[in-house]
Amino acid sequence: MSTGRTGEAGPPGQALEGTDPHRWWGLVVIALAQLMVVLDATIVNIALPSAQHALHMSDGNRQWVITAYTLAFGGLLLLGGRIADLVGRKRTFVVGLVGFAVASAIGGAATSSGMLFGARALQGVFAAVLAPSALSLLTTTFTDPRERGKAFGIYSALAGSGSAIGFVVGGLLTEYLSWRWCLYVNVPIAVLAVVGAFALLHDRPGHPEARLDVPGVLLGCGGLVAIVYGFSEAEPRGWTDPLVLALFAGGALLLGGFVRWQTRAPSPLLPLHIVKDRDRAGCFLTMMLAVIGMFGLFLFMTYYLQVILGYSPVRAGLAFLPLTAAITTGSTQISARLLPRVPPRLLMVPGMALAAGGLLLLTRMTARSSYAGEILPALLLMGLGMGLTFMPVFATATSGVAPRDSGVTSATVNTAQQVGGSIGTALLNTIATTSAAAYVTARLRTGAPKALVVPAGVVHGYTVAIWWAAGVMLLAGLTAGLMVTAKAPGHGAPARTPVAESVG
């Protein structure tokens, strides 16, 4: 198995793909699809109160609007990535776009909570097909290091800022049209992307002679679903709830069986040489930890701006725009320019340190903090840090992978994001609510007025959780510094030599 880092030619055909005159327009198509998938993870958040009222959801059931999507998306990503490798990335890309659009239209027209939950789950299924196809198309289209840096800079800017853009778009659509348009908006985006895909994207044929690893699908996807579901249920039920513990235990057993099976499967769902590579494993782990920390920002700032500071949905969404601009700047103007010249970890480690610094600034916020003086500097630091980190993570994790494994490798990067998001949501929200309850109880016993204590307690809970998020960010930086040892790609040098293709 070849694990060379630099200086050797990539697989046959890459040079031709690298000179495709339409490749930059193809990037626009890929970026549209990626934006739609990432944006949809948060665009519904701001619309959720309106949807809950319209469809008469209970407080206990409303979480399924979010959970149904993340469960299907996170649990089926490995399957989606392997399908892309077997039948062709362009074909699965188009199927994913069409299916996502149909599911979005069903959700927008939902007349009951069950119909909306089902549509969101269906969105997650097609997102699991679409996301790895998009990233692997990008990987095989751009192979020149300088062009690859620019392309991955744009892609990672969307991956990092898509959630923030979702808050902006969700606020505008909910306030001026209807919550239903938070789902309908995907239809025109998907139509544009499908037309562009047929006109602009090229791909190698798939490998239909290879068989799908059915036991691997059942073990791997089942384990991921159990773990993601366990984290989503930990938030309302608590970490010691029997169902939560059973889901974690069952997920761990299934994933253990999955790893054991992959060592002897004739056509493994996830060839283990992909995760045994030190740089790639470091990127996967860095991505997961970074996303856990990032949710410390998105989750609490949404509620802080609307509930504590009294912002409208639109104003709250617009407050995230500086974060989006900072992520875009960090990805496209800094990381994309520097990656051909410096090792990836020299971008990732400072990036995580900057992001942690932004979170530490937020630990000083109170119920009366000003946006310009205290919140804005933190958002800018956080955005620059995430932009510096995401671009080299995506580029390094997908570099040097055999063409037939690029889909499943891309899926593994996306899986790290989804699992990190699920852990971040459950873990940090639990820390925040527990800390807030303890603060309020202690202050009320002293006779302090409830009208002042409750908002202060909520903000105290947020700041405690953000301390933890900052610590996770620093751990992500340490992971990148110790595990990611890849050299700078260099000017005009080809990407890393692909590891050997899996047999079967």
Side-chain angles (χ1 to χ4, degrees):
M1 180 173 69
S2 172
T3 56
R5 300 294 184 203
T6 59
E8 296 179 47
Q14 279 194 354
L16 292 176
E17 290 179 338
T19 57
D20 179 2
H22 302 300
R23 61 192 178 281
W24 291 106
W25 284 110
L27 174 61
V28 173
V29 174
I30 294 169
L32 269 178
Q34 173 65 15
L35 177 62
M36 185 176 67
V37 170
V38 176
L39 180 146
D40 223 69
T42 55
I43 192 172
V44 176
N45 285 28
I46 286 181
L48 187 53
S50 300
Q52 181 181 0
H53 177 75
L55 300 180
H56 310 291
M57 296 180 214
S58 68
D59 288 345
N61 285 336
R62 67 184 177 185
Q63 64 150 330
W64 282 102
V65 176
I66 309 299
T67 305
Y69 181 79
T70 56
L71 261 181
F73 189 14
L76 298 176
L77 269 165
L78 284 178
L79 175 60
R82 183 45 91 194
I83 289 174
D85 290 331
L86 296 181
V87 305
R89 289 168 283 275
K90 179 177 174 179
R91 185 180 301 174
T92 53
F93 183 77
V94 171
V95 169
L97 283 169
V98 173
F100 199 91
V102 170
S104 299
I106 294 171
T111 55
S112 67
S113 58
M115 185 175 175
L116 180 58
F117 299 157
R120 289 287 286 167
L122 195 60
Q123 277 186 311
V125 170
F126 285 105
V129 173
L130 180 58
S133 301
L135 182 53
S136 56
L137 279 168
L138 184 70
T139 300
T140 55
T141 299
F142 293 91
T143 55
D144 176 81
R146 282 174 291 184
E147 288 196 346
R148 184 179 173 88
K150 293 176 184 176
F152 273 89
I154 294 169
Y155 182 90
S156 57
L158 290 172
S161 63
S163 298
I165 295 171
F167 290 125
V168 178
V169 176
L172 290 168
L173 292 175
T174 301
E175 192 156 323
Y176 295 115
L177 290 174
S178 162
W179 67 267
R180 296 182 183 277
W181 276 97
C182 291
L183 292 157
Y184 286 144
V185 71
N186 293 319
V187 177
I189 295 175
V191 169
L192 282 174
V194 167
V195 173
F198 280 118
L200 300 166
L201 296 181
H202 305 286
D203 187 27
R204 297 181 181 85
H207 299 270
E209 75 284 353
R211 294 181 179 180
L212 190 63
D213 177 18
V214 176
V217 170
L218 296 176
L219 290 168
C221 295
L224 285 173
V225 166
I227 294 292
V228 174
Y229 186 30
F231 277 111
S232 68
E233 287 296 300
E235 184 181 341
R237 292 174 177 268
W239 294 95
T240 57
D241 182 84
L243 175 62
V244 173
L245 294 176
L247 286 168
F248 285 151
L253 286 173
L254 287 171
L255 290 178
F258 170 76
V259 171
R260 184 176 178 82
W261 169 250
Q262 295 307 284
T263 61
R264 61 176 190 269
S267 298
L269 181 66
L270 175 61
L272 293 184
H273 62 71
I274 290 173
V275 292
K276 284 180 179 179
D277 180 274
R278 177 172 176 164
D279 293 328
R280 201 164 287 119
C283 286
F284 295 151
L285 189 54
T286 300
M287 172 64 78
M288 186 177 72
L289 292 170
V291 173
I292 291 175
M294 188 170 70
F295 268 68
L297 180 76
F298 289 148
L299 180 66
F300 303 124
M301 289 311 299
T302 306
Y303 282 94
Y304 177 77
L305 293 171
Q306 292 189 70
V307 177
I308 303 299
L309 298 187
Y311 283 23
S312 67
V314 170
R315 191 181 176 193
L318 293 174
F320 282 100
L321 277 181
L323 174 75
T324 303
I327 291 175
T328 303
T329 300
S331 294
T332 62
Q333 301 305 310
I334 302 176
S335 281
R337 294 174 185 270
L338 291 179
L339 186 60
R341 300 176 176 87
V342 302
R345 64 177 171 182
L346 291 189
L347 295 171
M348 297 181 196
V349 175
M352 287 293 90
L354 275 177
L359 287 172
L360 289 174
L361 285 181
L362 287 178
T363 62
R364 301 167 58 190
M365 69 186 184
T366 68
R368 296 177 181 176
S369 292
S370 71
Y371 175 81
E374 298 172 71
I375 308 303
L376 180 58
L379 294 180
L380 293 174
L381 277 178
M382 180 82 174
L384 280 173
M386 299 307 292
L388 279 172
T389 304
F390 275 171
M391 184 268 165
V393 165
F394 281 124
T396 306
T398 56
S399 176
V401 179
R404 71 178 296 169
D405 289 334
S406 66
V408 74
T409 304
S410 303
T412 308
V413 180
N414 281 284
T415 299
Q417 283 183 282
Q418 287 301 307
V419 172
S422 299
I423 295 172
T425 300
L427 175 63
L428 297 175
N429 195 56
T430 301
I431 291 171
T433 53
T434 303
S435 302
Y439 181 97
V440 170
T441 301
R443 297 304 186 279
L444 289 179
R445 285 175 182 167
T446 66
K450 186 175 182 180
L452 295 177
V453 169
V454 172
V458 170
V459 175
H460 172 76
Y462 293 164
T463 57
V464 171
I466 290 172
W467 271 108
W468 281 87
V472 175
M473 284 288 189
L474 291 174
L475 181 59
L478 181 64
T479 299
L482 294 177
M483 293 187 66
V484 181
T485 59
K487 306 297 183 184
H491 293 287
R496 284 199 295 157
T497 305
V499 293
E501 296 189 13
S502 54
V503 179

